[in-house]
Structure formats: C-alpha cells, structure tokens
Amino acid sequence: MTNEEILRHIDHTQLKAFATWKDIETLCEEALEYKTASVCVPPAYVKRIHDAYGEKINICTVIGFPLGYSVTAAKVTEAEEAVKDGAREIDMVVNISDVKNGLFDKVEGEIRTIKKACGENILKVIIETCYLTEEEKIALCKAVTAAGADYIKTSTGFGTGGATLEDVRLFKDHIGAEVKIKAAGGVKTREDLEAFLNEGCERIGTSSAVGILNAGKAESY
C-alpha cells in the first residue's frame, strides 16, 4: 500500500483543547499537500478554515465531543451550525449513559435526528468502544444502521482506549451494507494504518499519519 493510498483514507486530525490557529493552518497545509480525505477540527475553527481555504479542503468536525452527554437539541444546533459554517462531515458522540442504561431506541432516535440536521452531509457516529460490552457494541451497530448514519466510528481518541481490529471485525458482522467504518485512537504506526485499512476501514482518524509516512514520527491522538 503506497503512502498516497493510505492518506486518501485519513481524517487528518487536530482536536486538542489548546490548538491554536497556527496549529490548524499547519494541519490544513499538510492536508492539501498530502491529499488527506479531510481535516477533523474543533467546531470553533470550521468557519475560519472555510473562509481561508474554501472548497479546497474537506472539513470534518465533532459534536457532543468528547463525552457525548449533551442533550439532543444542543447536538442538533452544533450540527446545523457546523454545516452552515462549511463542514461537510460531522462526527457525533452517542450518549454513552443512554447506552449503558440500555436505551437504544433513544440513541437511535438521536442519531436519526442529527442525520436529518446534517442533510446530505456525512454523519459518523462515535460509539466509544472502550466503555462498552460486546452486546452494547452490537446493539449500536444496529442503531447506527437503522438511523441512516453513514459511518460507525470506534472512538474519540480521548477515552481509556482506542480502535482495535477486533472491534472493526465485530462491526463488519453487524452493520448494514451501506455503513462504513472509521477507526480512531491509538493508530500510531504504518503497520497500524495498513492493518485497519486492510481490515475494511474506509477512514482512519489520526494526527499521526502524515508524520508517520513522511518522517516516521507519531504525535498523539
């Protein structure tokens, strides 16, 4: 697998709380140079990126991030504002407390509502696998599929664990044919990148890919 092939699947990510505009500019310039799938950035930077780069960069942002327990109305507003500001991909975090309480119909309803707010834009649903049982992961695969989301995503990168190949395999067995998979968190080597892509991930969210492939260095995400 060539560097170019790998980078086409990367959501080049900068979600640190203390990210400066200089950090974001660097991210965007790297995304343009290496032709990553998108940049994944805090909502507060979406409009500024769109104003600076226009349609040259595919902007992804996060809502309900990283804990997921915002009320649905707040998540909807975040999604609507992000799309208005120029984001074309939205990564939402499910309400993990609802998941742990077994309220899967409520979780499905929230995903469906946010997908409607996203319109034709891509919605990725972060389920934060590190906190879940296998049964909960399977139930969420079904909820994500039924709600019409475009992707199921393993992790925020801010939890107690990140993506695993075992979870990706579990997803493949239980999501609908139209749902794609995004891995995030802990993907830090070229071998990791290739393994997750070969396992069937369409996207990988990481701040490390450009560094790994360009200079062999990994930053944390």
Side-chain angles (χ1 to χ4, degrees):
M1 193 175 291
T2 66
N3 287 359
E4 291 75 17
E5 289 170 333
I6 294 171
L7 289 162
R8 284 199 298 267
H9 296 276
I10 299 300
D11 288 345
H12 195 28
T13 300
Q14 173 53 271
L15 292 171
K16 292 176 181 176
F18 49 85
T20 65
W21 176 242
K22 183 176 180 181
D23 296 327
I24 298 296
E25 279 187 311
T26 298
L27 188 84
C28 291
E29 293 299 329
E30 289 176 344
L32 286 171
E33 180 178 357
Y34 295 102
K35 298 180 174 59
T36 62
S38 76
V39 292
C40 187
V41 297
Y45 281 118
V46 171
K47 188 176 188 303
R48 190 168 180 183
I49 293 170
H50 191 261
D51 288 347
Y53 294 94
E55 300 304 318
K56 292 190 294 182
I57 288 183
N58 183 33
I59 305 171
C60 170
T61 195
V62 291
I63 66 170
F65 192 89
L67 299 176
Y69 51 29
S70 304
V71 297
T72 299
K75 291 179 180 177
V76 167
T77 298
E78 282 188 275
E80 290 173 342
E81 289 297 308
V83 168
K84 184 173 72 176
D85 286 346
R88 294 295 169 259
E89 302 191 6
I90 303 295
D91 288 19
M92 66 163 282
V93 186
V94 297
N95 188 319
I96 300 163
S97 294
D98 284 345
V99 174
K100 302 306 290 186
N101 287 322
L103 302 176
F104 296 105
D105 287 346
K106 184 179 178 184
V107 173
E108 180 183 324
E110 179 176 87
I111 297 168
R112 183 178 289 107
T113 299
I114 295 170
K115 176 57 182 173
K116 183 178 180 181
C118 292
E120 296 300 314
N121 300 293
I122 288 172
L123 176 64
K124 309 189 196 94
V125 180
I126 307 170
I127 69 167
E128 199 70 296
T129 52
C130 60
Y131 300 131
L132 307 180
T133 66
E134 182 171 313
E135 291 75 16
E136 289 164 344
K137 294 171 192 176
I138 291 170
L140 283 170
C141 286
K142 295 175 181 177
V144 168
T145 300
D150 301 283
Y151 281 77
I152 187 168
K153 178 178 171 183
T154 62
S155 319
T156 62
F158 288 77
T160 57
T164 68
L165 294 173
E166 290 75 18
D167 282 334
V168 171
R169 293 175 189 129
L170 185 72
F171 289 176
K172 288 194 298 182
D173 287 340
H174 296 282
I175 55 174
E178 68 281 11
V179 180
K180 299 174 182 177
I181 300 172
K182 177 176 174 179
V187 183
K188 296 190 177 302
T189 67
R190 184 189 184 92
E191 290 73 24
D192 291 338
L193 294 168
E194 292 190 353
F196 280 100
L197 292 174
N198 286 332
E199 199 60 52
C201 293
E202 177 62 26
R203 295 284 184 89
I204 297 175
T206 176
S207 60
S208 302
V210 167
I212 291 168
L213 300 176
N214 192 39
K217 297 179 180 178
E219 298 177 3
S220 60
Y221 166 60

